[in-house]
Amino acid sequence: MTTTESAPAAGTAAAGAPRGRGKSDVQGTRRLAALLLSPTLLVLALVIGYPVLAGFRESLYARGEGLDADGFVVEGDRFVGLGNYTAIFQGDRADAFWNAFSNTTFFTLTTVVLETVIGVAMALIMQQAFRGRALVRASILVPWAIPTAISGLLWRWIFQADGAANAVLRQEILWTADGFPAKAAVVVAEVWKTSPFIGLLVLAGLQMIPRDVYEAARVDGAGPVQQFFRITLPLVKPALLVAVLFRMLDVLRMFDLPAVLIGVNQKSVETLTMIAWFEASNLRYGSAAAYATILFLYIALIAYLFVKLLGADIIGEARRRTRRPRAVRPARAGRRAS
């Protein structure tokens, strides 16, 4: 009897020892990971966290002379709370804000869609084996390598009244004036410059697809269209999502290209970044910080929805993978005990 009872006890102690060591190993790994990531998190807190908090604090104040409740002149910063935010959505500033908001959204949707289609087409062409492929890949990098200000000046010369665009179209269109042609000019210039970015990232994803997959698809009778939608697009989706997300975040803060190509204070191309810059240039730092905070929240919301809706939640997938073994362990322990 004694021998029979001591054996399970010894087995239980032996089975419990690895569990204790496993928990300590996991805790030690987490501590090491936190220690290694702490310099990066500190830098991000100083570079990103502090400016965001400082900008939000600045948006709660108004700089300049004013009168207090007793009628005395008050100089310097005055705490106005959410006054800068309410002024944006009411009165004369509301029209300027919604115009800039609609322009920013319009540029984001149109340019990202066009860049995605053209970039994927560029990647498919660059992947093919033909003579001069290296030269084609190098030449596609030229628009992306040109600085945005220089690109704006180049397209401003093209879209002049006597420029190359009107000469090709054989029409007299005022591209650089205020109106829808100005929006079209900004879209064309932005798509020309940044489509190679998406093309290069998609090309990197295409290089990772094994050729055996396409050979098996051809054996099964799949055509080029079916191969693209059933093989290429699903396998290149991670790289494509990253490229599109980066482009969306970049276009939402567009400033330099429309400012150089069309000019500032043009309602047809005025973006949220431009209106924040205009407020800051007129020493209305509280209002400018309020515009910047709204733009930051808008960008964060777009990025969150983009990641959630398109299924690019890498952290969530990693958490699910780590939770699965934990759920299996009690069942296995139960089987062993039985």
Side-chain angles (χ1 to χ4, degrees):
M1 263 327 251
T2 312
T3 310
T4 329
E5 291 177 356
S6 60
T12 307
R19 290 186 183 178
R21 288 197 297 268
K23 291 181 180 179
S24 62
D25 292 343
V26 171
Q27 293 177 356
T29 304
R30 291 179 178 176
R31 292 194 189 96
L32 179 61
L35 181 63
L36 294 176
L37 290 176
S38 57
T40 303
L41 297 177
L42 180 61
V43 172
L44 291 177
L46 294 176
V47 175
I48 299 177
Y50 176 75
V52 170
L53 295 178
F56 177 72
R57 178 189 176 279
E58 186 69 24
S59 66
L60 303 179
Y61 290 84
R63 179 171 297 183
E65 296 183 355
L67 299 177
D68 58 6
D70 299 328
F72 293 99
V73 177
V74 178
E75 296 183 357
D77 296 339
R78 293 181 295 108
F79 180 78
V80 294
L82 299 178
N84 291 322
Y85 294 95
T86 56
I88 291 175
F89 296 100
Q90 297 177 359
D92 298 335
R93 293 186 182 180
D95 297 334
F97 169 76
W98 289 115
N99 175 67
F101 181 83
S102 62
N103 290 337
T104 303
T105 306
F106 172 79
F107 288 140
T108 302
L109 293 177
T110 54
T111 57
V112 170
V113 170
L114 293 175
E115 289 165 8
T116 302
V117 175
I118 298 175
V120 171
M122 287 181 176
L124 293 175
I125 294 174
M126 289 186 294
Q127 189 191 18
Q128 303 299 323
F130 57 91
R131 182 176 297 178
R133 183 175 62 174
L135 180 62
V136 172
R137 291 182 178 181
S139 61
I140 285 179
L141 285 174
V142 173
W144 178 251
I146 296 177
T148 306
I150 304 301
S151 177
L153 291 175
L154 172 65
W155 283 98
R156 184 180 180 88
W157 174 77
I158 294 176
F159 285 120
Q160 285 181 351
D162 56 347
N166 288 337
V168 173
L169 297 176
R170 296 181 180 180
Q171 293 182 1
E172 195 71 23
I173 301 176
L174 300 178
W175 297 97
T176 57
D178 202 5
F180 183 78
K183 290 184 178 180
V186 173
V187 170
V188 171
E190 181 71 12
V191 170
W192 174 82
K193 176 175 173 52
T194 54
S195 293
F197 174 77
I198 295 183
L200 290 175
L201 290 185
V202 174
L203 178 61
L206 291 175
Q207 299 295 327
M208 303 299 295
I209 301 177
R211 308 306 304 175
D212 300 340
V213 180
Y214 291 101
E215 294 178 0
R218 282 192 293 269
V219 171
D220 293 338
V225 179
Q226 292 179 339
Q227 293 179 21
F228 176 76
F229 286 101
R230 298 292 181 88
I231 299 176
T232 303
L233 200 57
L235 294 180
V236 84
K237 179 182 176 182
L240 183 60
L241 290 181
V242 172
V244 172
L245 179 59
F246 283 177
R247 285 303 308 139
M248 288 178 62
L249 300 182
D250 194 19
V251 180
L252 285 172
R253 54 184 181 85
M254 179 189 292
F255 174 80
D256 44 2
L257 183 62
V260 175
L261 178 57
I262 308 299
V264 295
N265 299 330
Q266 299 291 338
K267 292 184 178 181
S268 59
V269 297
E270 191 174 38
T271 60
L272 291 175
T273 308
M274 295 176 68
I275 199 171
W277 170 84
F278 179 77
E279 293 292 319
S281 62
N282 287 277
L283 304 182
R284 292 191 290 266
Y285 298 113
S287 179
Y291 280 112
T293 303
I294 293 175
L295 178 60
F296 171 77
L297 296 177
Y298 183 42
I299 293 176
L301 178 63
I302 292 296
Y304 178 79
L305 293 178
F306 181 83
V307 171
K308 285 297 181 182
L309 293 179
L310 295 181
D313 191 3
I314 301 175
I315 299 178
E317 293 178 358
R319 289 176 179 174
R320 294 190 196 101
R321 292 174 183 174
T322 55
R323 288 175 182 174
R324 286 174 185 173
R326 295 180 182 177
V328 176
R329 283 175 185 172
R332 293 180 177 176
R335 292 195 191 107
R336 291 175 182 175
S338 62

